[in-house]
Amino acid sequence: MSQTTAFVGLGLRLKAVGRWPLDRLLVWGIKLLASLRTFFNPHVIYKPLETNDLRVLALCSPLTSRTDEPVRCSLHHVSLEHAARYKDWEGQADPTLRLYKKTRAWIKYARDKKAEGDPDFVRSGAFRYAWGDYMTLSYSWGVDTGNSWIIVDGRYVAVTESLDLALRSIQESLSAQDSIRLWVDAICINQQDIAERGGEVRRMRKIYGDSLGGFIHLGAVANDSDLGLQSITSIAKSVKDGFDCRKWLLEIQIDVVDGKENSAQPAIVAVMHLMHRRYWSRMWIIQELAMGQDQLVVCGDTCASLADVRQVLKLLVLNSETIARIVGHELLYANISSYQSTIALLWWIGRVRELILLPEDRRIIRYSELRSPILGLTLIASATDPRDKVYGMMGLLPAALASRVDREDKNYEFTTREVFVNFVKAVIEVTGDLDVIYASHLQQSTLSTLPLPTWATDWTLMNARTAGIDNSVEWYFGLEDEDGAPPQAPMEDRSGPPPRADGLRKGTIRFSDDNELLFCEGIRIGSIQGFAAELAAKTAISASPDVVIQPPPGPNPYGNISAITSALQRTLMLDPSGRDTSKCPVFSLPWFGAEADSNAEDGTFTFGDESSAYFDKLREKGWDPVKFGGSFFSFEAVRRRLGMYQVAGRLFKDYFPEDIPDCPEEADFTAIETITTNIMSRRLVTTDSGHLGLGPATVELGDGIYVLLGSSFPVILRPGKNDGHLEVVGECYVDGFMKGEAIEKLDSGKYSLQQITLC
């Protein structure tokens, strides 16, 4: 260290020591003044909001570096009447632009005008209002109101610790921009005015969508969160630059498994800790993230863009087994539910955006588009008041559906049971679709505290299985580029609508006056005659997960071994059209010999020397682990679990070759992740007609299988307590009845239509 540097450092320290008593006195004075003002006038004054009004916060710069200095801000009542220059631009802009896409176009225009030297834009930037512009803040609400205090208009206001932390993280940067305000729901909405609160909640979609930008605060600094956010920015840039990050992750994994130190491992661990944050599971953030404009994810003094966070999450998901070995299974599975919430939210949020941006007159209300993403996210998200699991969707749903559920000021006069039943009823009536009847948790009858009909869903219980719908919808990522352009391969580009078991045939659907019974029409196509062991990610769903019922000798509707193999793969992939099956020939993967045989017989999974030797031979023959997208070992555990189940008189394991052939050059086995995901909490089943299926883990011998008019999947129904009433067990893929075959047989007279009462 040079002598000059030493003197400068000493000077700064002496200056800090000298300021310490002054800063302490200043903070004491700030607190005293706020206490006096609060004593004489304790309440923040909220003037009524007119139609085009908004309240926003102006953050003040901190006067000291002390952590006990309260956050200070002022509340402003502003008009959302646009400035003249914005109106001029709006009159010439693309009229189809909506919400945040319109804001992006304006910002680009303002930057171009500023670059040209336009004095108005040089002076005022991209502000759209005479008073400036605003950004939004999304954070974890929590229930600890009163633990922290901020100063609003000179008075103390009790806030949650999470909000206090969030404001502290951004006040330095935001307060430096005089004309940028902040919209914070807890303060900018008069929480004591129920009518206003309801109105602003319904307006949040527009508030977030029209904002200039947004902050997402994840909470307190912990678990190297700064390293995690910095790594996210770096990794996302590498992905955009075309760097082979999958190979990079495999190299880290090899070092970790071999006990070698790798400097990148702590960064991956820090990123995973960020993905486990409680924030990602909040119900209300779904629309905040879907509509927010150019949001920054903040923790402490470090940030990363939400787009970069999503990009890195996608990399982690597509390399899940590699990541598990890098961070350790203990960390991954100790927080698996939080991680699953994050995956679902950040994966599906792109599709939520697209649905919201569609004009109401162009929105066709299909259940499949409600289920993934909106209803699927609702099942995973958390809310303090369970009724908010439904009301939190109102800003995301088409108006035709939301209007049947949203009772405005009377919403919270209904019980949770009434809200849940009425919502499912509204979904069925608006969509004309019955698929929502099997959206519920397979153990709802025992886990739920609400005595719901089996056709209604307790939205507080997270579904333990993937949706029984087209895979292109289930795993639609929809990541935008920096210019906001849509993905290159949008979901609508898939060739035609997905097949349905009901052949698009609609029937009569009605409800009893007390909403306890659902009356519909359907066709009984068979019963369960055999099923394999359950596969569970962590905790088994059924009471007897290891029980296997071998199907008796019976008909074979498929034909030769090749046809049965194709049917098996379609079933495991929930792919009736075979569209994705043809790209991933999983039954060309060799069986792993005696160790695999032993696992299949005793229901365990080990990967000893013999399996390792097979694995090495596979690699010699070109079976690169990269081809499996990080899901090889998960798939190996699945097929060994199913190994001894009889399929058309032949053991499941015998459908795989014993010899190790050269790996097909064009084969892409990354789709085996679909199999390992689909099979969880389900069982491979055989019907009395010999058809193969994938049914709920709670299936029982003799359960009836029905194709209901208005349902895309066959449904397993079981006799209820009252004569003639049937209970919903769950959906069941049945290969050979997924594309309207039952309707064809109904029309030819081979089947008869039944009146069905669901209880």
Side-chain angles (χ1 to χ4, degrees), residues 110 162 219 233 256 275 312 314 320 330 362 393 423 516 559 569 572 585 677 679 685 709 716 736 757:
S162 56
T233 302
V256 171
M275 299 300 181
V312 171
K314 185 175 183 180
S320 54
E330 183 177 349
R362 291 175 54 196
M393 287 187 271
F423 178 67
E516 294 298 320
Q569 185 162 342
L572 293 173
T677 303
I679 199 72
V685 302
L709 301 190
I716 292 181
T757 302

Side-chain angles (χ1 to χ4, degrees), residues 299-477:
C299 197
D301 297 328
T302 315
C303 65
S305 74
L306 178 63
D308 284 351
V309 174
R310 294 188 66 221
Q311 186 71 265
V312 171
L313 177 84
K314 185 175 183 180
L315 177 69
L316 300 181
V317 171
L318 296 179
N319 296 272
S320 54
E321 286 195 355
T322 302
I323 295 300
R325 285 171 173 77
I326 291 174
V327 305
H329 287 82
E330 183 177 349
L331 168 62
L332 184 64
Y333 290 109
N335 300 281
I336 192 66
S337 60
S338 298
Y339 187 41
Q340 288 172 338
S341 297
T342 308
I343 292 173
L345 174 68
L346 297 184
W347 196 284
W348 280 336
I349 208 69
R351 184 58 184 160
V352 176
R353 284 191 172 201
E354 290 189 359
L355 291 174
I356 292 176
L357 287 174
L358 283 175
E360 286 293 338
D361 60 353
R362 291 175 54 196
R363 291 186 75 172
I364 300 174
I365 307 176
R366 299 188 183 94
Y367 174 74
S368 60
E369 293 193 347
L370 294 177
R371 172 61 178 85
S372 290
I374 298 172
L375 301 188
L377 290 175
T378 298
L379 284 167
I380 291 171
S382 60
T384 304
D385 187 327
R387 292 170 293 188
D388 285 338
K389 297 277 278 189
V390 171
Y391 297 141
M393 287 187 271
M394 293 302 99
L396 308 173
L397 297 173
L401 178 55
S403 63
R404 287 176 176 250
V405 181
D406 189 356
R407 297 292 184 268
E408 300 186 356
D409 298 348
K410 297 181 179 179
N411 277 341
Y412 294 95
E413 294 178 9
F414 295 94
T415 66
T416 301
R417 184 183 190 277
E418 289 172 328
V419 172
F420 287 179
V421 171
N422 289 335
F423 178 67
V424 173
K425 179 184 177 183
V427 169
I428 293 173
E429 290 178 335
V430 171
T431 65
D433 200 309
L434 288 171
D435 284 355
V436 71
I437 68 174
Y438 48 78
S440 58
H441 193 288
L442 292 174
Q443 292 178 307
Q444 178 171 293
S445 61
T446 56
L447 295 180
S448 177
T449 58
L450 306 172
L452 292 167
T454 60
W455 52 265
T457 297
D458 183 340
W459 298 100
T460 65
L461 299 177
M462 188 173 79
N463 201 326
R465 63 203 187 281
T466 56
I469 59 175
D470 181 49
N471 289 331
S472 64
V473 184
E474 179 75 359
W475 288 106
Y476 179 81
F477 190 70

Side-chain angles (χ1 to χ4, degrees), residues 667-697:
D668 180 7
F669 291 91
T670 54
I672 65 171
E673 182 181 11
T674 301
I675 295 177
T676 60
T677 303
N678 289 341
I679 199 72
M680 293 304 160
S681 301
R682 290 190 169 104
R683 294 180 189 258
L684 186 62
V685 302
T686 306
T687 73
D688 54 354
S689 59
H691 287 87
L692 298 173
L694 205 58

